[in-house]
Amino acid sequence: MDTLDVKQMKLLLALLEEKNLTRVANKLSVSQQAVSEQLKKLRMTFSDRLFVRAKHGVVPTPFAENLGVVVRDVLEKLEQARRQDTFSLTNVSQTFVISASDYAQKVLLIDLLKIIRPQAPGLKVIIKDLETDNIERALLEGSVNLVISAPNGLPSSLPSTRLMSESFTCVVAASTPESVAPTCIEDLANCQHLIVSPSRAALKGSADSWFSEHGINRQISVSVPSFELAPEFIEAYGAVAFLPTRLLPDERLRPVKLETLPPGFELRAAWHHRCSQDPLHQWIVSELMQIAQSKEADEK
């Protein structure tokens, strides 16, 4: 282990990503012979072949894949340690990836970008639609830096923090006649319902248990992936829906007053343990919390 250095660790990660010695040599600006020599040293250090020749390159052994997780974490911690004393928002030149529903994008991330541009002009931000499948691996590998979701879309093993709470409002299309719109929760049993499922396509909603407790067999007929187009789908299908209150008013929709409503939801930001001490990560989470707290305070 005394012979292992940072360059070799970066080489290992490059081989895991590219799976081709020539491409790794070009990526690291070294000769293919140098890549082969360093790979030979890595094999001796860890007593494993690490990579096996294949038709179009190399294939990592199971040991190499597991080693890559450890090495990536080591390099991240070294980079975090290096940045601790040199962190400055004006000097940041990184890319930060946030996975969030279009609800979170509209309610929180637009305001976040307004803060980022003047304070950290060199920071590049990628905002992705919410993907909860394999999110823990994406956070570990760094393809996603932060996830904003309701708690049921987050693995319990991830560190997270509360951002804000949201309530639901029952809505129908603005063109729906008064005589057709529901006036009490019992009427909902005779309606066709639309739900928004940003993370995965499904005909199951977060409020299903609430409807069951009230003896209502909700008929979910349409599931859509985003809140942005939900009003148009609600009108096209003549459906009723429960949408986050902060997305209203919307001229395409008409709120329906009911004596009781399904419980709302909590919005949380989650990340991987390896980023907890990163100053950029801490700053972004802190700004998100302030934005969310300000919105909740304005509504009181």
Side-chain angles (χ1 to χ4, degrees):
M1 294 297 293
D2 292 340
T3 63
L4 187 64
D5 60 27
V6 171
K7 289 183 178 180
Q8 289 176 331
M9 289 191 280
K10 290 183 176 180
L11 175 80
L12 176 71
L13 294 183
L15 283 168
L16 285 169
E17 181 179 344
E18 301 291 343
K19 297 180 177 62
N20 183 284
L21 270 65
T22 302
R23 288 201 295 269
V24 168
N26 292 334
K27 183 176 183 177
L28 300 180
S29 300
V30 298
S31 66
Q32 187 171 338
Q33 181 181 357
V35 173
S36 298
E37 290 175 354
Q38 291 301 319
L39 177 56
K40 183 178 179 180
K41 291 180 180 179
L42 284 168
R43 284 168 169 162
M44 293 176 63
T45 298
F46 293 103
S47 301
D48 188 271
R49 297 178 69 185
L50 298 180
F51 296 90
V52 180
R53 289 191 178 278
K55 186 175 181 180
H56 299 293
V58 292
V59 177
T61 65
F63 180 83
E65 291 181 332
N66 291 331
L67 181 62
V69 174
V70 176
V71 168
R72 187 176 288 108
D73 187 51
V74 169
L75 291 178
E76 283 287 343
K77 288 179 178 177
L78 287 173
E79 179 62 21
Q80 290 171 13
R82 185 189 69 82
R83 291 200 301 259
Q84 290 297 325
D85 295 331
T86 60
F87 178 72
S88 169
L89 286 174
T90 56
N91 295 329
V92 168
S93 59
Q94 298 170 235
T95 299
F96 199 89
V97 183
I98 303 174
S99 176
S101 68
D102 61 331
Y103 165 79
Q105 293 173 27
K106 182 173 183 178
V107 174
L108 293 175
L109 297 188
I110 292 175
D111 289 339
L112 178 66
L113 292 183
K114 292 177 182 178
I115 293 171
I116 286 176
R117 184 172 183 181
Q119 295 194 46
L123 177 63
K124 298 177 178 62
V125 181
I126 296 176
I127 298 173
K128 300 174 60 176
D129 288 335
L130 182 63
E131 297 176 5
T132 55
D133 292 337
N134 300 317
I135 192 59
E136 195 163 7
R137 184 176 183 85
L139 289 168
L140 170 63
E141 295 177 346
S143 57
V144 172
N145 300 106
L146 192 69
V147 182
I148 302 176
S149 171
N152 58 6
L154 300 172
S156 58
S157 58
L158 294 175
S160 65
T161 187
R162 177 191 176 278
L163 295 176
M164 64 199 311
S165 295
E166 176 61 288
S167 62
F168 285 115
T169 296
C170 182
V171 297
V172 294
S175 59
T176 302
E178 288 282 354
S179 58
V180 178
T183 58
C184 62
I185 61 172
E186 287 75 17
D187 290 343
L188 296 173
N190 302 317
C191 298
Q192 300 300 314
H193 290 252
L194 176 145
I195 64 168
V196 179
S197 183
S199 57
R200 58 175 65 89
L203 289 172
K204 292 184 178 181
S206 60
D208 286 352
S209 60
W210 180 86
F211 280 97
S212 297
E213 290 170 4
H214 286 76
I216 300 170
N217 182 21
R218 181 166 64 153
Q219 301 298 318
I220 299 177
S221 302
V222 183
S223 174
V224 298
S226 72
F227 291 100
E228 180 63 30
L229 293 177
E232 295 179 32
F233 285 114
I234 290 170
E235 182 176 23
Y237 202 78
V240 63
F242 290 84
L243 297 184
T245 303
R246 288 189 180 89
L247 296 181
L248 302 171
D250 187 308
E251 62 182 10
R252 298 168 292 180
L253 300 172
R254 179 158 57 84
V256 175
K257 291 185 178 181
L258 300 175
E259 67 273 23
T260 183
L261 291 167
F265 61 94
E266 187 177 80
L267 204 61
R268 300 188 70 86
W271 57 91
H272 195 271
H273 292 280
R274 66 184 181 82
C275 295
S276 295
Q277 302 302 315
D278 177 59
L280 176 59
H281 161 83
Q282 292 176 339
W283 177 72
I284 288 178
V285 172
S286 174
E287 293 300 326
L288 280 170
M289 291 176 67
Q290 291 185 46
I291 293 169
Q293 290 168 6
S294 175
K295 289 182 178 295
E296 287 192 320
D298 290 343
E299 293 167 3
K300 291 181 180 180

